[in-house]
Amino acid sequence: MGCGSSSIKVKKSAKTIRAALVIQNWYRGYRARLKARQRYALTIFQSIEYADEQGQLQLSNFFSFMLENYTHIQQKDPTLVHRLFGIGPHADNSRQDFIGLIEIPDSYSGPRLQFPLSSVSLNTLIEAFKKQQILHAYYVLEILFETKEVLKQMPNFTHIRTCPNKEITICGDLHGKLDDLLLIFSKNGLPSGQNPYVFNGDFVDRGKYSIEILMILFVSFLLYGDDLCLNRGNHEDFLMNMRYGFTKEVLGKYKIYGKKILQVLEDVFSWLPLGTIIDDEILILHGGISESTDLGLLHHVERNKLKHTLLQSLLQHGD
């Protein structure tokens, strides 16, 4: 009897082991298939994500070739490029020209800001944007002009350093997704002198709240410029904005002053630094670099003249 019982237990143990091995092999196969699907899904997503931008790049290369080989047309008609893309050449309007005649009516129920800005201003903006309130054009233009003046004093590459008692949070594309920015702040805290951030471009387009993101980032930058770095991405560009939604968003939210806001924004975008260098060792810039990139040249290029890559050849051949 004892031997028979022992034999049954051995058989049951063998079946259990075989069953466990079958389950283990199935699970390993399942995990491998899941990982492969995730990898292929990411590849497909990236292909879709950048397909339009590749088309934009090809268009850019085409126009660059045309402009390089037919610069005599530009000499005869300096407004050619601006008329080609449906925009007017910008005069060097002063701050007073833009906001001097704008009044905030008593009926305005959105956030009200006090200048000079403070941390209270940042919190006021965030709470108002959570309620989907629109910041008045007067405040938008004030913030843009303040930001532009600070950016003009900055080099092409911002330098920032780490230290043992604080971390640097580096954020990629926001693309108008206000919820993403608020989630980042809820997990990592608001920007401050003890909580530095690097935002690596592509703040706008695609999402519905690009102007709100810009206002939060620019106010944070004005308050904590030494500890908040803003790099220019390929979507900080007026032609990309016309194609991918930011221009439409601004004109929809600011029907009277939208064109003025876009005009000032074009200048602000052109003054954004090209990248950030951490501890003189780590380079952060949107899109990366190629093997032939001359970093020395990037340090000295007049970035404010690069309104758009299509205009680069004009700037090289112009006066």
Side-chain angles (χ1 to χ4, degrees):
M1 293 291 291
C3 291
S5 176
S6 177
S7 176
I8 292 173
K9 288 182 179 179
V10 170
K11 290 181 179 179
K12 286 184 177 180
S13 297
K15 288 182 179 180
T16 302
I17 292 172
R18 284 197 297 271
L21 289 174
V22 170
I23 294 172
Q24 186 182 60
N25 289 334
W26 173 86
Y27 181 72
R28 287 176 175 173
Y30 166 76
R31 292 292 299 174
R33 290 192 297 273
L34 181 62
K35 190 172 183 179
R37 282 200 296 269
Q38 290 174 339
R39 185 166 57 249
Y40 288 127
L42 178 61
T43 301
I44 293 171
F45 172 79
Q46 288 177 332
S47 299
I48 296 173
E49 176 79 1
Y50 296 112
D52 283 345
E53 294 186 11
Q54 289 299 318
Q56 185 80 5
L57 179 60
Q58 292 175 3
L59 184 64
S60 171
N61 291 336
F62 168 74
F63 276 110
S64 295
F65 171 81
M66 294 293 290
L67 293 171
E68 286 173 1
N69 289 276
Y70 298 96
T71 53
H72 63 280
I73 298 177
Q74 166 68 9
Q75 295 172 358
K76 294 180 180 179
D77 187 359
T79 65
L80 171 65
V81 175
H82 287 94
R83 289 191 293 101
L84 181 63
F85 295 106
I87 56 176
H90 299 336
D92 188 17
N93 297 88
S94 68
R95 187 179 193 143
Q96 190 65 21
D97 292 331
F98 278 93
I99 61 179
L101 301 178
I102 299 178
E103 295 184 357
I104 303 175
D106 294 335
S107 59
Y108 170 67
S109 58
R112 294 179 180 269
L113 304 179
Q114 297 291 329
F115 293 87
L117 297 167
S118 66
S119 58
V120 175
S121 306
L122 179 58
N123 288 317
T124 298
L125 270 185
I126 291 175
E127 292 305 315
F129 292 157
K130 285 180 180 178
K131 300 174 184 176
Q132 298 187 353
Q133 294 179 344
I134 303 295
L135 184 64
H136 195 277
Y138 174 88
Y139 296 123
V140 172
L141 288 167
E142 280 280 15
I143 291 170
L144 292 180
F145 274 106
E146 291 278 352
T147 302
K148 177 183 173 182
E149 289 306 309
V150 177
L151 289 174
K152 287 170 68 175
Q153 309 304 316
M154 297 181 64
N156 289 349
F157 289 88
T158 307
H159 287 260
I160 190 171
R161 292 193 172 276
T162 58
C163 65
N165 63 344
K166 64 180 180 182
E167 298 179 345
I168 298 176
T169 302
I170 303 172
C171 304
D173 303 10
L174 290 170
H175 278 310
K177 305 293 195 306
L178 181 60
D179 287 345
D180 288 353
L181 180 61
L182 297 180
L183 178 62
I184 291 170
F185 286 163
S186 69
K187 288 181 175 293
N188 296 281
L190 291 175
S192 70
Q194 298 302 315
N195 192 27
Y197 278 84
V198 176
F199 289 93
N200 195 29
D202 278 12
F203 316 128
V204 301
D205 283 331
R206 297 192 175 125
K208 297 180 180 180
Y209 302 100
S210 295
I211 191 67
E212 286 80 3
I213 284 178
L214 285 181
M215 292 299 100
I216 291 174
L217 293 183
F218 288 162
V219 169
S220 300
F221 170 73
L222 291 171
L223 292 174
Y224 311 108
D226 293 336
D227 296 284
L228 188 138
C229 303
L230 301 175
N231 297 341
R232 186 178 184 181
N234 61 305
H235 278 264
E236 281 67 64
D237 178 305
F238 72 92
L239 288 183
M240 296 291 279
N241 299 157
M242 285 193 290
R243 182 170 182 177
Y244 291 99
F246 181 49
T247 297
K248 182 178 180 181
E249 176 191 333
V250 173
L251 294 177
K253 291 178 179 177
Y254 299 97
K255 299 188 185 328
I256 299 176
Y257 301 107
K259 290 184 178 179
K260 289 186 176 182
I261 291 172
L262 289 170
Q263 185 174 337
V264 180
L265 267 170
E266 183 182 339
D267 281 338
V268 173
F269 285 165
S270 72
W271 282 107
L272 284 169
L274 304 180
T276 300
I277 299 175
I278 300 178
D279 293 337
D280 295 327
E281 294 182 354
I282 302 171
L283 173 63
I284 303 169
L285 74 168
H286 192 85
I289 59 175
S290 69
E291 294 181 356
S292 60
T293 300
D294 186 344
L295 293 179
L297 175 63
L298 291 180
H299 273 89
H300 297 97
V301 69
E302 295 182 79
R303 68 180 188 275
N304 63 299
K305 291 187 177 181
L306 301 178
K307 305 291 185 183
H308 179 70
T309 54
L310 297 184
L311 304 182
Q312 184 172 359
S313 58
L314 290 181
L315 297 170
Q316 292 171 343
H317 296 285
D319 54 12

